[in-house]
């Protein structure tokens, strides 16, 4: 079922190795075609052609500056103001990289969580509820319900249920990050983009966060940028390896870590990089 | 979840409430900006048109204006030209601005360092409110305190009339102190905490950390604060006017009466007739002020750019 | 050892500087209060001024100052807020934006007498608003806008970009993000800016001499109908403020107790600004709490 | 949401209703009209006080009196932007004013005297000495019979009426040396009072015990001496109108010139009334005795 698109001459390792993920249970939700990202004249990302399968976790790995974050942020057009994104981003059959796409509506379906927890200077409750209110959900019981489910899904409910009206700024790093996840899933997105969500967290919080993500997978399609290769190995089904603004290898996570096809990938995952 | 792509595309292309709000917000905030720009353009245009009239309608030589030392617009000199030499006032303005900045800088930065690095608690509780309070004291009041305290003091210490650049410097020093202090504090606050931690971890004392790390890192911000204070000082009118003596003479010493652009402008503007040479000449002074604040601004910007490059 | 001594000396010097600054400031405020407070009484605060006899008060001027301040703030705050939002959140970082910023800052360093004269020629004469509170409020707006815009922009700058990203990632528009997330978080800092500029507006004289005027006709404090000329609320009446009053009696006052009135007024002005600061600080804290929690 | 809308609507309605109510119930207070007088800050207290009395007597009128300086007053009356321009000078003396269309109404006479700091040890001077002092020919008080103190000159701002009068009649038309300039009498007095060696000039009403008024050529600066022009440094205070005044403007000026004001306010504010004067003086300084009753 994997359609390999290796570009290589027999006997040597291929220069690129990209597979097609997904199956009947996990159809493709999001894919990029011929994606190029420019910062000014500088091309930060080229040939970023990837497909993402539903209810799976895909990890994007690679060295700093390899373009993985740029790629991720382009997916829900968070880079619109600072970069030029060319190519197509197909979301369930619709190219969302068209100028007349309503980015706000689109971002409600493709949510994002950032590297550093960024809870708003509001109460825990309002952090989650206020975006819903702006979208017309004002009934108190409905809001309460969504807040609770989101917090439960983010595995934060038990810790904060008694202090929902406390300022979110008082939360610890791990809690704050989970609040950000709860906030993102409260608007019921389809795809969840995570940009190194654990890099600012301690090991315990990190592992809690990973558990949470594994549970969230049932409901969402998750794409996560990570520096931490063990993390990628622990939670993701697929892994894409970025190098110098290109995707060099995309395969199942186990393949990438046990049997990488491209030399650079092999060097990177084995720690011989650079 | 089983929507056809067409259906989905339609949904995604429908303009959402957020998009509508966004347009509304852009329009509203842009109109506010346009309004301010209109105000700025109107005032600058107004000053420029009046100030340039001295040279266009009254045919004063620009160089005579900038280099002449005699300010007596109602009189004409030996050649039948009006005496509108602004040099003494330009020099006066510069002297008083630079001096007050020189005096205020160590105090302001010292206070900012104290507020930010040494005793943030006391800084926030005492210093900040006090400096903010000081900004609110009207310049008239500063002027009168200058008149009743500073001027007699300089007179008894340095002789002369007490009026002059020195007294003006003292008053301006206190007036720009709060501005420079609070801006310096902002600049220090912008230095990331790990700079300090890294330095302290290397065994540096607090002072070494402040001096070698924090102040260095904040230098562009601090310079901006000082230049901003200078711009303030340059444009201050009422308070300076009361203590500098308003004598349009080249300053011979710090305790002789002198004049600044603003003091002559404020003193004379009500006594001249709109459209006359005397009035236009005063507007030319305002134009010089405008250009000077442009220069100060460019300096601030240059410093800012340098800071970013570092 | 050496560096430790140096450290101690330096810290000591810094303490000294901070102490000296506080001392200067306290001496200043103390001087104003000590020379002025003996004059201040309920009578002084509530009676109208007298042109040339002793015993005049500053009641009307005090009211005018507050009324004018409120009006000026009501006009200038929304404009400055909007402009600051556009400049910081929307405008691209190019030469046009820089030009606009530079122009605004240049305006802020012009002596206020120039703004006052402009206001006089434009509002009082051209728009036929006459010497009135409205003309004064507009002139103060002109005087205030650059400062306020700049300070609000700075306040917006203090809020982390991550907060903006957070809002955008939830599918909020930039406008919603700014008004619902950024502004509430920036309230304390914006408020400080507003207090500072309010203080400056409150003490401003030169911009008002030619616009709001330097006479304070008697008011009927029982008449709150803004269309009546003797009503305190009428925006079309001339209104001498406290700062202008101080300026006026210091320059041409011929009442026998001019000096006492001037120092009394200065003390009142300083106390008013002090109260203003305290109140704004308190309100800011409350507001921040309310906006940041449910 | 709808509830909030409703509340907002209600609030708006109430506000509008209040506004309409207020507009309907406004007192038609300006039936008699309102006029604005702008100009000399020295003259402002007199016109203001007269205006208050006038409006108290004539309900429904409003006299708006503002300062701004003689130059402002004259340029605004020339523009026709105000009804009355207050001036310390003859309009013809002010540069940039075309005096032709303006009508002069003299409402007061103001005497001006040199004042010195009490420490200078000077009580009288001759015109020659005074001129020498103000043109910078002498720089120490001992040269004119005072103590050994350097002379500190304080001028009024250029264009000020007091300065023009002083230079014309006090120092024989000479131009005072460039020195400190202050734009108000109060400031001048305060500076002279506190600065040893200082000399300046103010209107009689600003003279207090804290400063020393100087006799000139043996003539003391008193009102009696002004009346018959023995004390020569005096000037008129003018209200200028553009063309002959009409309506409220005319009535108000007549009121200021009437004995009601001339005998009370004008005197209380330290001015003399033009009607008391035994002489008149024109714009060129030409003095004519009135009625020939005086020598």
């Amino acid at each position: 079922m994997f359609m390999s698109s290796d570009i290589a001459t027999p006997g040597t390792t291929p220069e690129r190795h990209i597979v097609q993920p997904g199956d009947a249970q996990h159809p493709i939700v999001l894919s990029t075609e011929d994606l190029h990202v420019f910062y000014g004249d500088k091309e930060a990302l080229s040939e970023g052609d990837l497909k993402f399968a539903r209810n799976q976790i895909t990890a994007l790995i690679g060295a700093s500056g390899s373009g993985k974050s740029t790629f991720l942020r382009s997916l829900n057009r968070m880079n619109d103001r600072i970069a030029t994104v060319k190519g197509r981003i197909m979301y369930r059959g619709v190219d969302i990289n068209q100028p007349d796409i309503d980015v706000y509506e689109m971002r409600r379906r493709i949510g994002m969580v950032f590297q550093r927890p960024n809870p708003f200077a509001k109460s825990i409750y309002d952090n989650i509820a206020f975006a819903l209110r702006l979208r017309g959900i004002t009934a108190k019981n409905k809001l309460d319900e969504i807040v609770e489910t989101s917090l439960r899904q983010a595995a934060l409910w038990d810790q904060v249920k008694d202090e929902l009206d406390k300022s979110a700024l008082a939360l610890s790093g791990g809690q704050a990050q989970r609040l950000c996840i709860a906030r993102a899933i409260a608007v019921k997105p389809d795809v969840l983009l995570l940009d190194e969500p654990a890099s600012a967290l301690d090991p315990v919080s990190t592992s809690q966060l990973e558990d949470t993500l594994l549970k969230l997978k049932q409901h969402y399609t998750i794409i996560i940028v990570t520096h931490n290769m063990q993390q990628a190995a622990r939670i993701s089904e697929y892994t894409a390896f970025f190098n110098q603004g290109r995707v060099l290898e995309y395969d199942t996570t186990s393949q990438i870590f046990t049997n990488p096809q491209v030399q650079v990938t092999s060097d990177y995952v084995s720690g011989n990089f650079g | 979840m089983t929507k056809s792509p067409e259906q989905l595309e339609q949904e995604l292309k429908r303009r959402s409430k957020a998009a509508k709000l966004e347009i509304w917000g852009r329009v509203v905030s842009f109109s506010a900006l346009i309004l301010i720009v209109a105000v700025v353009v109107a005032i600058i245009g107004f000053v420029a048109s009046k100030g340039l009239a001295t040279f266009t309608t009254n045919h004063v030589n620009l160089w005579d204006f900038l280099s002449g030392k005699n300010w007596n617009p109602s009189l004409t000199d030996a050649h039948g030209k009006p005496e509108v030499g602004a040099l003494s006032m330009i020099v006066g303005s510069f002297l008083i601005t630079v001096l007050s900045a020189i005096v205020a800088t160590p105090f302001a930065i010292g206070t900012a360092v104290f507020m930010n690095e040494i005793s943030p608690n006391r800084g926030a509780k005492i210093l900040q409110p006090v400096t903010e309070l000081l900004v609110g004291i009207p310049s008239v009041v500063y002027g009168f305190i200058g008149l009743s305290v500073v001027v007699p003091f300089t007179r008894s210490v340095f002789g002369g009339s007490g009026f002059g650049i020195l007294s003006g410097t003292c008053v301006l020093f206190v007036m720009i102190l709060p501005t420079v202090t609070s801006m310096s504090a902002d600049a220090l606050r912008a230095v990331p905490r790990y700079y300090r931690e890294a330095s302290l971890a290397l065994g540096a004392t607090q002072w070494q950390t402040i001096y070698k790390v924090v102040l260095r890192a904040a230098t562009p911000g601090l310079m901006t604060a000082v230049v901003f204070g200078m711009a303030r000082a340059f444009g201050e009118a009422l308070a300076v006017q009361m203590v500098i003596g308003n004598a349009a003479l080249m300053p011979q010493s710090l305790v002789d009466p002198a004049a600044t652009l603003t003091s002559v402008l404020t003193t004379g503007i009500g006594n001249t007739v709109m459209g006359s040479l005397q009035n236009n000449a005063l507007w030319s002074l305002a134009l010089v002020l405008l250009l000077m604040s442009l220069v100060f601004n460019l300096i601030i910007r240059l410093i800012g750019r340098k800071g970013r490059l570092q | 050892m050496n560096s430790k001594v140096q450290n101690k000396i330096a810290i000591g010097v810094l303490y000294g500087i901070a102490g000296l600054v506080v001392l200067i400031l306290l001496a200043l405020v103390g001087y104003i209060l000590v020379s002025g407070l003996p004059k201040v009484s309920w009578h002084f605060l509530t009676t109208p001024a007298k042109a040339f006899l002793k015993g005049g008060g500053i009641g009307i001027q005090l009211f005018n100052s507050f009324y004018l301040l409120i009006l000026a703030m009501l006009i200038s705050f929304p404009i400055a807020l909007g402009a600051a939002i556009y400049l910081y959140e929307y405008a691209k970082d190019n030469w046009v934006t820089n030009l606009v910023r530079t122009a605004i800052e240049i305006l802020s360093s012009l002596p206020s007498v120039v703004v006052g004269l402009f206001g006089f020629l434009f509002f009082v004469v051209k728009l036929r608003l006459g010497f009135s509170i409205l003309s004064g409020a507009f002139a103060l707006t002109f005087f205030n806008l650059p400062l306020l815009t700049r300070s609000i922009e700075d306040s917006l700058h203090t809020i982390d970009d991550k907060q903006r990203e957070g809002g955008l990632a939830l599918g909020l528009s930039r406008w919603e993000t700014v008004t619902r997330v950024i502004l509430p978080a920036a309230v304390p800092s914006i408020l400080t800016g507003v207090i500072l500029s309010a203080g400056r507006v409150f003490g401003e004289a030169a911009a008002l001499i030619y616009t709001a005027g330097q006479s304070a006709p008697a008011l009927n404090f029982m008449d709150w109908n803004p269309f009546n000329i003797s009503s305190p609320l009428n925006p079309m009446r001339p209104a001498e403020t406290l700062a202008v009053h101080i300026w006026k009696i210091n320059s041409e006052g011929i009442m026998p107790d001019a000096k006492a009135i001037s120092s009394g007024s200065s003390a009142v002005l300083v106390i008013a600004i002090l109260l203003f600061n305290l109140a704004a600080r308190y309100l800011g804290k409350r507001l921040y709490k309310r906006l940041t929690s449910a | 949401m709808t509830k909030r809308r409703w509340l907002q609507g209600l609030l708006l309605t109430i506000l509008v209703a209040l506004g309409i109510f207020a507009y309907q119930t406004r007192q038609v207070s300006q039936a008699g009209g309102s006029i604005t007088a702008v100009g000399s800050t020295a003259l402002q207290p007199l016109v203001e006080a007269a205006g208050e009395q006038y409006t108290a007597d004539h309900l429904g009128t409003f006299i708006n009196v503002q300062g701004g300086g003689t130059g402002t007053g004259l340029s605004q009356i020339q523009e026709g932007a105000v009804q009355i321009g207050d001036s310390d000078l003859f309009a013809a003396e002010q540069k940039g004013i075309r005096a032709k269309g303006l009508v002069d109404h003299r409402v007061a006479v103001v005497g001006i005297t040199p004042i010195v700091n009490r420490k200078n040890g000077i009580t009288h001077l001759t015109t020659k000495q005074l001129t020498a002092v103000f043109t910078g020919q002498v720089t120490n008080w001992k040269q004119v019979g005072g103590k050994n103190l350097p002379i500190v000159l304080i001028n009024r701002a250029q264009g000020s009426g007091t300065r023009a009068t002083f230079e014309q009649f006090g120092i024989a038309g000479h131009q005072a040396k460039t020195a400190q300039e202050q734009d108000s009498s109060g400031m001048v007095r305060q500076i002279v009072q506190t600065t040893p060696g200082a000399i300046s000039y103010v209107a009689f009403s600003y003279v207090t015990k804290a400063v020393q008024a100087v006799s000139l050529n043996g003539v003391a600066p008193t009102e009696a001496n002004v009346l018959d022009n023995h004390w020569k440094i005096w000037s008129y205070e003018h209200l200028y109108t553009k063309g002959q005044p009409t309506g409220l403007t005319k009535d108000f000026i007549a009121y200021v010139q009437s004995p009601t004001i001339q005998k009370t306010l004008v005197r209380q504010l330290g001015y003399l009334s033009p009607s008391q004067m035994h002489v008149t003086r024109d714009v060129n300084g030409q003095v004519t005795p009135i009625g020939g009753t005086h020598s």
Side-chain angles (χ1 to χ4, degrees):
Chain A
M1 157 182 75
F2 288 168
M3 298 196 326
S4 182
S5 64
D6 297 359
I7 309 159
T9 47
T12 58
T13 59
E15 194 193 319
R16 288 183 91 197
H17 173 79
I18 310 276
V19 300
Q20 279 273 25
D23 52 38
Q25 275 101 48
H26 305 111
I28 302 299
V29 169
L30 192 65
S31 63
T32 59
E33 295 170 11
D34 199 22
L35 194 72
H36 296 263
V37 182
F38 299 87
Y39 292 119
D41 293 335
K42 202 174 147 254
E43 188 165 23
L45 186 79
S46 59
E47 299 177 59
D49 288 11
L50 290 179
K51 293 182 166 47
F52 300 99
R54 191 159 104 198
N55 297 3
Q56 305 268 278
I57 297 180
T58 307
L60 311 182
I61 62 169
S64 299
S66 60
K68 56 189 190 307
S69 277
T70 298
F71 177 81
L72 187 82
R73 295 169 60 90
S74 300
L75 288 181
N76 70 345
R77 295 180 55 186
M78 291 293 285
N79 268 351
D80 271 12
R81 266 166 70 90
I82 46 173
T84 321
V85 181
K86 288 183 181 159
R88 284 178 301 283
I89 302 167
M90 302 305 290
Y91 166 67
R92 292 183 184 273
V94 180
D95 177 11
I96 54 171
N97 196 24
Q98 301 178 66
D100 57 348
I101 288 289
D102 188 294
V103 290
Y104 315 110
E105 191 58 35
M106 179 270 288
R107 284 183 195 141
R108 294 189 54 206
R109 293 158 202 259
I110 307 178
M112 190 164 201
V113 173
F114 299 87
Q115 185 169 7
R116 285 179 177 273
N118 58 349
F120 300 140
K122 299 174 185 296
S123 69
I124 295 171
Y125 185 93
D126 278 348
N127 254 279
I128 298 170
F130 103 106
L132 301 170
R133 284 202 199 101
L134 287 179
R135 291 296 157 266
I137 305 172
T138 47
K140 179 87 171 96
N141 52 353
K142 178 84 177 155
L143 282 176
D144 287 349
E145 185 198 315
I146 300 180
V147 168
E148 180 172 345
T149 354
S150 314
L151 284 173
R152 277 191 195 284
Q153 284 190 353
L156 191 61
W157 175 253
D158 291 330
Q159 295 164 53
V160 299
K161 64 179 177 216
D162 298 325
E163 39 183 33
L164 289 178
D165 53 358
K166 272 202 180 163
S167 171
L169 300 178
L171 293 175
S172 73
Q175 289 177 325
Q177 191 62 298
R178 268 178 287 139
L179 177 67
C180 291
I181 291 175
R183 187 173 72 188
I185 59 186
V187 295
K188 304 236 157 48
D190 190 7
V191 181
L192 204 51
L193 310 175
L194 299 113
D195 190 359
E196 301 187 38
S199 67
L201 304 184
D202 62 74
V204 178
S205 307
T206 303
S207 96
Q208 283 171 343
L209 187 78
E210 287 172 7
D211 290 345
T212 310
L213 291 180
L214 285 171
K215 280 182 200 139
L216 286 176
K217 182 168 83 161
Q218 307 160 26
H219 309 281
Y220 310 99
T221 304
I222 294 175
I223 305 171
I224 177 171
V225 166
T226 178
H227 258 115
N228 180 335
M229 277 179 284
Q230 284 79 18
Q231 186 171 59
R234 279 193 298 266
I235 61 173
S236 65
E237 276 81 21
Y238 294 97
T239 297
F241 172 66
F242 281 72
N243 188 42
Q244 296 179 348
R246 295 175 71 206
V247 186
L248 286 193
E249 185 154 6
Y250 184 35
D251 210 330
T252 58
T253 301
S254 56
Q255 274 289 320
I256 291 270
F257 284 101
T258 55
N259 186 20
Q261 301 292 307
V262 181
Q263 187 61 45
V264 192
T265 319
S266 166
D267 292 345
Y268 185 76
V269 296
S270 61
N272 296 330
F273 192 73
Chain B
M1 275 299 187
T2 48
K3 279 174 196 149
S4 72
E6 289 73 29
Q7 227 177 334
L8 181 68
E9 177 153 12
Q10 212 180 9
E11 269 179 36
L12 283 176
K13 284 190 174 173
R14 199 185 303 142
R15 191 178 279 173
S16 67
K17 194 178 153 210
K20 284 178 198 152
L21 271 174
E22 177 74 359
I23 291 170
W24 151 257
R26 253 176 190 274
V27 168
V28 166
S29 60
F30 188 66
S31 351
L33 183 68
I34 288 298
L35 200 67
I36 294 194
V37 170
V39 166
V40 172
V41 168
I43 292 191
I44 292 179
F46 173 75
V47 174
S49 73
K50 291 232 164 206
L52 288 176
T54 315
F55 309 110
T56 53
T57 20
N58 304 108
H59 302 293
V60 172
N61 184 317
L62 177 63
W63 180 245
D64 289 347
F65 176 74
L66 290 178
S67 66
K69 293 176 190 166
N70 291 322
W71 179 260
N72 235 330
S74 45
L75 294 184
T76 46
D77 64 8
H79 308 286
K81 286 184 187 159
E83 295 186 351
V84 284
L87 185 65
S88 55
M89 287 160 277
I90 297 177
V91 171
S93 277
F94 265 104
L95 264 180
I96 197 167
T97 302
V98 171
L99 285 177
S100 54
I102 289 177
V103 183
T105 303
F107 281 92
I109 294 182
T111 313
V113 168
F114 184 85
M115 275 163 74
N116 223 35
E117 311 288 327
I118 296 180
S119 187
N121 246 334
R122 259 176 280 189
K125 277 216 184 90
I126 304 173
L127 280 165
Q128 206 181 348
V130 172
T131 42
E132 276 170 20
L133 176 66
L134 230 62
V135 180
I137 296 178
S139 42
V140 192
V141 174
Y142 275 113
F144 269 85
I145 293 181
L147 199 59
S148 44
V149 179
V150 179
V151 171
F153 180 76
T154 34
R155 179 168 52 231
S156 63
V157 176
F158 299 100
S161 65
F163 291 90
I165 290 184
L166 189 67
S167 302
T169 303
C170 289
V171 170
L172 272 185
F173 154 67
V174 182
M175 289 190 74
I176 65 172
L177 190 61
T179 315
V180 185
T181 306
S182 70
M183 285 186 70
S184 304
D186 287 345
L188 294 180
R189 220 167 288 140
V191 177
R193 205 175 54 205
Y194 58 81
Y195 276 42
R196 301 178 180 91
E197 284 159 358
S199 164
L200 290 173
L202 288 172
T205 61
Q206 193 176 12
W207 169 243
Q208 284 169 328
T209 306
I210 291 169
Y211 184 71
K212 296 234 166 94
V213 178
V214 179
L215 287 184
R216 291 285 146 86
T219 301
L222 295 176
M223 284 177 73
T224 309
V226 173
V227 179
F228 197 80
M230 286 171 75
R232 262 294 143 68
F234 206 78
E236 172 52 40
L238 283 181
V240 176
Q241 179 205 328
M242 289 183 183
V243 296
I244 197 167
N246 281 327
L249 297 167
M250 282 304 275
Q252 301 297 325
S253 79
L254 294 185
V255 287
D256 281 338
T260 65
L261 292 164
T262 46
S263 72
V264 171
L265 177 64
T266 334
T267 317
I269 203 97
N271 291 316
T272 53
V273 172
M274 252 18 103
S276 64
L277 165 70
Q278 292 78 5
N279 192 263
N280 287 342
L282 291 174
W283 285 105
S284 302
L285 297 184
L287 189 61
V288 173
L289 272 170
L290 206 86
L291 293 177
M292 280 319 301
S293 64
L294 179 70
V295 170
F296 278 121
N297 251 284
L298 291 179
I299 296 175
I300 294 176
R301 252 156 232 290
L302 269 179
I303 297 169
R305 193 165 300 162
K306 252 194 182 155
R308 233 175 291 145
L309 288 180
Q310 272 177 358
Chain C
M1 185 59 200
N2 196 9
S3 67
K4 264 191 188 162
V5 173
Q6 202 188 8
N7 186 45
K8 272 206 172 144
I9 293 172
I11 303 276
V13 168
L14 284 175
Y15 262 90
I17 287 179
L20 198 62
V21 166
V22 171
L23 215 66
I24 292 176
L25 306 189
L26 288 184
L28 203 73
V29 176
Y31 179 86
I32 297 171
L33 293 184
V34 166
S35 57
L37 273 186
K39 172 74 193 170
V40 178
S41 64
W42 183 245
H43 177 79
F44 179 67
L45 290 179
T46 49
T47 42
K50 289 190 175 150
F52 55 94
L53 299 173
K54 62 183 283 179
I58 52 165
I60 293 169
Q61 281 81 4
L62 197 58
F63 177 84
N64 286 343
S65 289
F66 279 108
Y67 190 35
L68 205 52
L69 173 69
I70 292 170
L71 268 189
M73 279 299 172
L74 277 183
I75 302 173
S76 53
F77 182 70
I79 301 175
L81 185 66
I85 290 179
Y86 192 87
L87 271 180
Y88 191 75
E89 306 284 345
Y90 288 116
K92 294 200 179 81
D93 192 17
N94 56 20
W95 66 271
V96 182
T97 313
N98 273 328
L99 189 73
V100 168
R101 278 212 184 95
T102 310
I104 291 178
E105 274 174 23
I106 289 173
L107 186 58
S108 73
S109 46
L110 263 191
S112 45
V113 65
V114 172
V115 177
L117 274 167
F118 175 80
F120 171 64
L121 292 180
F122 189 67
F123 298 121
V124 177
V125 178
K126 193 129 208 168
L127 298 185
R128 303 195 165 276
L129 291 177
F131 287 93
S132 63
I133 291 192
L134 210 56
S135 301
F138 283 135
L140 284 182
T141 300
F142 275 32
F143 163 81
N144 195 21
L145 273 180
L147 294 165
L148 204 54
T149 308
R150 195 200 146 87
S151 94
I152 297 178
E153 221 194 316
D154 284 348
S155 304
L156 293 176
H157 185 73
T158 59
I159 306 300
D160 198 344
D161 267 343
K162 302 270 171 236
Q163 297 271 319
R164 293 180 179 82
E165 286 188 333
L168 292 178
L170 288 178
L172 303 184
S173 62
R174 194 157 263 274
W175 180 250
E176 287 167 305
T177 309
V178 170
T179 50
R180 303 301 175 117
V181 179
I182 307 300
L183 285 185
V187 159
S189 149
I190 290 179
L191 202 79
T192 314
V194 171
I195 298 171
L196 291 183
S197 63
R200 281 176 58 102
V201 165
F202 202 74
E204 176 55 35
L208 289 177
I209 292 167
Y210 295 94
T211 51
Q214 16 175 344
S215 68
L219 298 180
N220 176 4
F221 278 94
M222 302 306 289
D223 180 358
W224 293 92
N225 186 338
F227 292 98
N228 291 342
I229 192 77
S230 61
S231 159
L233 290 184
N234 187 328
M236 300 309 292
R237 64 187 172 86
E240 180 191 42
T241 65
L242 205 50
V244 174
H245 191 59
I246 296 174
W247 175 82
K248 187 171 113 184
I249 49 187
N250 275 324
S251 45
E252 304 287 346
I254 46 173
M255 48 288 245
D257 54 352
K259 195 153 187 182
I261 291 181
S262 137
S263 25
S265 307
S266 305
V268 171
L269 204 68
V270 169
I271 293 172
I273 288 168
L274 186 71
L275 289 178
F276 211 69
N277 276 10
L278 291 177
R281 216 168 269 280
Y282 174 75
L283 279 178
K285 262 185 200 153
R286 287 282 302 269
L287 200 62
Y288 183 70
K289 263 195 191 141
R290 272 198 58 178
L291 288 170
T292 55
S293 65
Chain D
M1 197 68 188
T2 45
K3 195 174 161 193
R4 208 159 135 198
R5 273 274 157 79
W6 199 79
L7 269 175
Q8 283 171 353
L10 190 71
L11 210 69
L12 196 73
T13 321
I14 291 177
L15 271 179
V16 170
L18 270 178
I20 292 172
F21 177 74
Y23 184 74
Q24 289 297 334
T25 55
R26 75 194 189 279
Q27 296 152 3
V28 191
S29 57
Q30 290 187 39
S34 97
I35 54 172
T36 304
V38 176
S40 157
T41 42
L43 191 50
Q44 193 190 350
L46 172 64
V47 186
E48 209 174 342
E52 271 170 32
Q53 287 194 11
Y54 184 82
T55 42
D57 294 349
H58 301 78
L59 284 175
T61 57
F62 186 66
I63 317 273
N64 187 354
V65 185
Q66 302 298 340
T70 294
T72 310
L74 286 176
S75 38
Q76 289 316 306
I77 190 68
Q78 178 165 284
E79 297 287 317
V82 294
Q83 284 73 40
I84 298 176
D86 309 347
S87 173
D88 304 334
L89 290 171
F90 281 102
E93 291 178 82
Q94 180 71 294
K95 298 225 160 122
I97 288 291
R98 295 175 305 279
K100 263 198 172 158
L102 302 181
V103 180
D104 179 13
H105 310 270
R106 299 171 192 181
V107 293
V109 169
V110 57
I112 292 162
T113 173
I115 52 168
V116 295
N117 185 281
R118 287 198 161 272
K119 292 196 183 118
N120 299 3
I122 293 284
T123 52
H124 56 272
L125 289 168
T126 64
T127 300
K128 216 174 163 191
Q129 284 174 321
L130 190 67
T131 311
V133 166
F134 269 92
T135 50
Q137 285 159 2
V138 297
T139 54
N140 194 302
W141 285 115
K142 71 179 176 196
Q143 290 168 274
V144 288
K147 295 201 183 120
N148 181 15
L149 261 177
I151 294 174
V152 179
L153 287 186
I154 292 140
N155 276 320
R156 292 296 304 279
Q158 292 184 17
S160 128
T162 313
R163 178 166 176 175
T165 306
F166 180 77
E167 288 182 349
Q168 191 179 354
F169 300 105
I171 55 174
H174 288 86
Q175 166 86 16
K177 189 182 137 191
T178 306
Q180 280 203 54
E181 281 179 15
Q182 293 299 336
D183 66 344
S184 70
S185 313
M187 281 291 292
V188 163
R189 180 181 62 195
Q190 175 148 8
I191 292 170
V192 170
Q193 182 183 330
T194 53
T195 312
I199 179 166
S200 189
Y201 37 87
V202 292
F204 284 1
S205 51
Y206 286 94
V207 177
T208 60
K209 288 208 174 75
V211 293
Q212 174 68 52
V214 179
S215 301
L216 216 49
N217 308 321
V219 181
T222 61
E223 295 190 341
N225 285 334
V226 170
L227 289 179
D228 51 15
N229 198 36
H230 275 125
W231 181 265
K232 298 211 164 43
I233 320 174
W234 57 271
S235 71
Y236 290 107
E237 294 289 352
H238 315 258
L239 298 186
Y240 275 97
T241 52
K242 191 173 190 179
Q244 285 300 333
T246 53
L248 178 57
T249 314
K250 185 180 173 189
D251 293 346
F252 177 64
I253 291 177
Y255 179 75
V256 177
Q257 287 176 327
S258 73
T260 340
I261 297 296
Q262 293 289 326
K263 290 211 166 121
T264 56
L265 270 180
V266 167
R267 304 292 299 131
Q268 286 164 358
L269 283 162
Y271 294 116
L272 290 161
S273 167
S275 58
Q276 290 174 278
M277 296 293 290
H278 304 153
V279 295
T280 64
R281 195 159 70 191
D282 66 9
V283 60
N284 300 315
Q286 207 64 47
V287 176
T288 350
I290 295 176
T293 53
H294 202 75
S295 55

